């Protein structure tokens, strides 16, 4: 039993008979605190990857992978404390022979085991386990249920890094507004309560000093945009019908004028960069416009942009990079094909019982060996990309009329120099968002 756990850094364990019924409990001592839920999903990933089947009453893990309750707090499964007098609980050796029920010996063994764990390997495995749990393919369901599931998953995960406060507060408030029908002070109290109890809040949230003000601001914004599910929409989504020049058009014309002026000033001063990314940043800074606004008006500053030319997108949104000069001119829609990983990227098979290494192992501080061939941690295979999202990205780029060089540069600017084939599923969804912002 200990060998699979050694693949994630747990090299020392304590084996205990739980009661006279003969149940076995394997305790995993740690010398420092670890995230409970991350440990739970990592233990599950570790055991299932090596052929073990978790089943109630047969093989269970504590802490267990529990659901996140939005309306009520869901607790982890409880278990019996070890070595209770008269319960039949006792320490066991490697051969499952009783070796006493002394608490002093239990604590001595516990401290020794905790000091020999490979915490660096465990923390690395926990990160992969949490990522695998997050990237698990979602079941196809009704769009509303899928949206609800996504919101619930984000709330369950909480903070995993800095810079996530605004997004999480918006997500929590949105859930309370749409699916719980809350408003006003009730929605504020709900959002604040959930946020304060989300994982990672104390570690990563940098707005703890003004969290109530942030919550109130996001609740007000959410109330103006979302409405309870099943009720009449409170936001007017119809287009304005008048003959006046729209305010957005005035802003667009002003932005174009500032872009032209900035381009001319930089060119005359000899400070117009040749590289597209540097040029975009320089013009945006002088013109005081955003990158999105700049990319709406490519004909004003981009050297490779030609008006009226249908975008040649195959070379950009295909798995392999193609020279833009070799792309034939065609108005046919481009196609994004699925990528199939090569053998060296495929997941490894579970270890067989005979492949786990030495048959000897000790549950004492001086004992314990490593498995020979770790089967965990391993990254999950990338999920198949959604064809519907492919089509939306295609349509959005065609509506912009960009050339292949322009869209390639746009992707690089938005995602730190990445190419289309290097984008993750989440990044491709974010790309669609950026393209829609530009097209507005």
């Amino acid at each position: 039993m200990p060998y699979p756990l050694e693949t994630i850094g747990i090299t020392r364990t304590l084996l205990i008979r739980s009661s006279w019924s003969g149940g076995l409990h394997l305790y995993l001592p740690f010398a420092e605190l670890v995230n409970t839920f991350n440990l739970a999903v990592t233990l599950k990933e570790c055991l299932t990857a090596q052929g073990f089947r978790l089943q109630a009453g047969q093989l269970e893990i504590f802490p267990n992978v529990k659901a996140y309750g939005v309306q009520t707090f869901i607790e982890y499964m409880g278990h019996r404390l070890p070595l209770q007098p008269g319960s039949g609980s006792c320490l066991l050796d490697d051969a499952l022979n009783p070796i006493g029920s002394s608490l002093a010996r239990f604590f001595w063994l516990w401290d020794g085991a905790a000091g020999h764990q490979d915490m660096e390997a465990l923390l690395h495995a926990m990160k992969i386990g949490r990522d695998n749990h997050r990237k698990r393919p979602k079941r196809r369901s009704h769009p509303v249920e899928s949206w609800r599931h996504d919101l619930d998953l984000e709330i369950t995960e909480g903070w995993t890094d800095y810079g996530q406060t605004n997004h999480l507060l918006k997500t929590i408030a949105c859930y309370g507004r749409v699916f719980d029908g809350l408003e006003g002070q009730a929605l504020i109290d709900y959002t604040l309560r959930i946020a304060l109890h989300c994982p990672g809040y104390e570690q990563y949230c940098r707005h703890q000093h003004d969290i109530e003000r942030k919550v109130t601001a996001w609740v007000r914004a959410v109330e103006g945009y979302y409405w309870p599910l099943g009720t009449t929409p409170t936001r007017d989504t119809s287009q304005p019908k008048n003959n006046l020049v729209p305010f957005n058009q005035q802003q667009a014309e002003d932005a174009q004028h500032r872009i032209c002026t900035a381009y001319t000033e930089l060119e005359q001063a000899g400070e117009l960069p040749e590289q597209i990314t540097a040029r975009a940043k320089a013009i945006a800074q002088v013109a005081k416009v955003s990158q999105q606004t700049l990319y709406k008006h490519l004909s004003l500053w981009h050297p490779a942009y030609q008006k009226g030319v249908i975008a040649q997108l195959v070379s950009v949104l295909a798995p392999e990079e193609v020279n833009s000069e070799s792309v034939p001119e065609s108005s046919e829609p481009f196609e994004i094909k699925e990528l199939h990983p090569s053998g060296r990227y495929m997941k490894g098979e579970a270890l067989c019982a005979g492949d786990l290494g030495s048959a000897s192992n000790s549950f004492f501080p001086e004992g314990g060996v490593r498995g020979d061939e770790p089967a965990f941690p391993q990254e999950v295979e990338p999920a198949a990309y959604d064809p519907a999202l492919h089509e939306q990205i295609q349509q959005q780029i065609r509506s912009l009329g960009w050339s292949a060089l322009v869209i390639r540069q746009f992707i690089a600017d938005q995602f730190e120099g990445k190419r289309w084939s290097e984008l993750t599923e989440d990044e491709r969804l974010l790309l669609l968002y950026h393209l829609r912002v530009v097209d507005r």
Side-chain angles (χ1 to χ4, degrees):
M1 181 64 182
Y3 294 111
L5 299 178
E6 289 176 353
T7 65
I8 60 173
I10 301 176
T11 64
R12 301 293 191 275
T13 56
L14 270 67
L15 182 61
I16 291 180
R17 186 177 68 190
S18 62
S19 64
W20 293 115
S21 63
L24 301 179
H25 287 184
L26 195 65
Y27 283 81
L28 318 175
F30 300 129
E32 60 186 76
L33 297 176
V34 297
N35 183 283
T36 308
F37 187 78
N38 290 0
L39 177 63
V41 297
T42 302
L43 289 174
K44 181 179 179 181
E45 287 267 344
C46 173
L47 295 175
T48 55
Q50 301 185 67
F52 291 89
R53 180 184 178 187
L54 299 181
Q55 184 176 353
Q58 301 295 323
L59 178 59
E60 300 176 290
I61 57 174
F62 300 85
N64 60 295
V65 181
K66 71 181 184 72
Y68 183 85
V70 176
Q71 295 181 336
T72 59
F73 179 75
I74 299 177
E75 297 182 344
Y76 290 97
M77 293 191 301
H79 64 90
R80 179 182 299 174
L81 291 176
L83 307 181
Q84 296 186 45
S87 65
S89 178
C90 64
L91 293 161
L92 300 176
D93 63 12
D94 294 349
L96 304 183
N97 296 316
I99 55 175
S101 57
S102 167
L103 285 177
R105 187 172 193 179
F106 172 80
F107 291 136
W108 176 73
L109 293 173
W110 183 280
D111 292 338
H116 286 78
Q117 308 291 25
D118 189 343
M119 295 306 297
E120 182 178 354
L122 177 62
L123 293 175
H124 176 68
M126 288 171 61
K127 180 181 183 303
I128 294 178
R130 185 60 180 266
D131 289 343
N132 289 353
H133 182 77
R134 181 186 299 114
K135 297 173 183 177
R136 186 173 51 202
K138 303 179 180 65
R139 295 176 299 177
R140 293 188 178 275
S141 59
H142 190 275
V144 174
E145 287 302 317
S146 178
W147 181 34
R148 181 172 188 164
H149 176 271
D150 292 343
L151 294 178
D152 188 41
L153 182 59
E154 290 184 22
I155 297 172
T156 300
E157 293 174 349
W159 279 263
T160 58
D161 203 347
Y162 300 109
Q164 298 176 342
T165 298
N166 287 322
H167 177 74
L168 277 171
L169 293 183
K170 178 254 184 184
T171 298
I172 298 170
C174 179
Y175 191 102
R177 176 63 172 162
V178 175
F179 297 105
D180 290 338
L182 301 176
E183 61 181 351
Q185 189 60 44
L187 183 56
I188 293 176
D189 295 341
Y190 167 88
T191 306
L192 181 62
R193 175 172 57 84
I194 297 298
L196 294 179
H197 290 86
C198 273
Y201 169 76
E202 295 184 358
Q203 181 179 1
Y204 293 115
C205 179
R206 290 175 172 172
H207 294 276
Q208 298 179 36
H209 61 286
D210 63 342
I211 189 65
E212 294 187 18
R213 181 184 64 82
K214 298 281 290 183
V215 165
T216 302
W218 272 111
V219 166
R220 297 290 181 254
V222 165
E223 285 184 316
Y225 197 84
Y226 296 97
W227 56 90
L229 185 65
T231 64
T232 303
T234 57
R235 174 168 54 91
D236 185 11
T237 59
S238 62
Q239 297 294 331
K241 299 178 180 180
N242 56 64
N243 296 324
L244 300 178
V245 178
F247 175 71
N248 287 346
Q249 181 178 336
Q250 296 179 11
Q251 284 189 313
E253 292 175 353
D254 179 62
Q256 293 179 54
H257 175 72
R258 283 183 280 131
I259 291 172
C260 291
T261 302
Y263 183 94
T264 303
E265 291 178 357
L266 291 171
E267 187 177 37
Q268 291 178 350
E271 299 176 354
L272 187 65
E274 292 293 332
Q275 188 180 18
I276 302 302
T277 301
R279 174 177 294 194
K281 290 182 178 179
I283 295 176
Q285 183 176 4
V286 174
K288 300 188 184 312
V289 297
S290 66
Q291 292 283 330
Q292 284 77 11
T293 300
L294 200 63
Y295 273 92
K296 286 182 182 179
H297 309 291
L298 290 166
S299 60
L300 302 179
W301 64 275
H302 200 294
Y305 182 78
Q306 295 179 346
K307 264 190 171 183
V309 177
I310 298 177
Q312 307 296 325
L313 304 172
V314 178
S315 64
V316 180
L317 304 183
E320 300 294 337
E321 278 292 317
V322 181
N323 190 317
S324 60
E325 296 178 355
S326 64
V327 179
E329 295 186 3
S330 172
S331 59
E332 293 298 323
F334 67 92
E335 177 183 4
I336 306 174
K337 299 182 179 179
E338 293 186 7
L339 299 179
H340 299 282
S342 59
R344 63 192 182 99
Y345 293 122
M346 300 299 288
K347 296 176 67 176
E349 296 180 354
L351 293 181
C352 299
D355 298 331
L356 294 176
S358 174
S360 62
N361 186 64
S362 173
F363 295 93
F364 294 91
E366 64 271 20
V369 295
R370 288 287 189 141
D372 295 331
E373 296 292 339
F376 184 89
Q378 55 185 337
E379 302 284 359
V380 295
E381 297 179 19
Y385 195 47
D386 186 358
L389 185 56
H390 282 211
E391 178 61 26
Q392 292 182 57
I393 295 176
Q394 294 172 13
Q395 293 177 357
Q396 202 63 45
I397 296 176
R398 283 197 293 266
S399 69
L400 290 168
W402 287 357
S403 66
L405 183 60
V406 172
I407 180 58
R408 185 185 296 112
Q409 186 63 50
F410 182 78
I411 294 175
D413 291 343
Q414 300 298 326
F415 300 101
E416 301 179 350
K418 288 186 177 182
R419 298 183 299 175
W420 163 260
S421 59
E422 299 171 331
L423 298 183
T424 65
E425 180 181 2
D426 291 340
E427 288 174 334
R428 291 178 178 181
L429 184 60
L430 185 59
L431 171 62
L432 177 60
Y433 166 78
H434 287 315
L435 292 172
R436 286 177 173 173
V437 170
V438 171
D439 198 28
R440 289 198 184 102

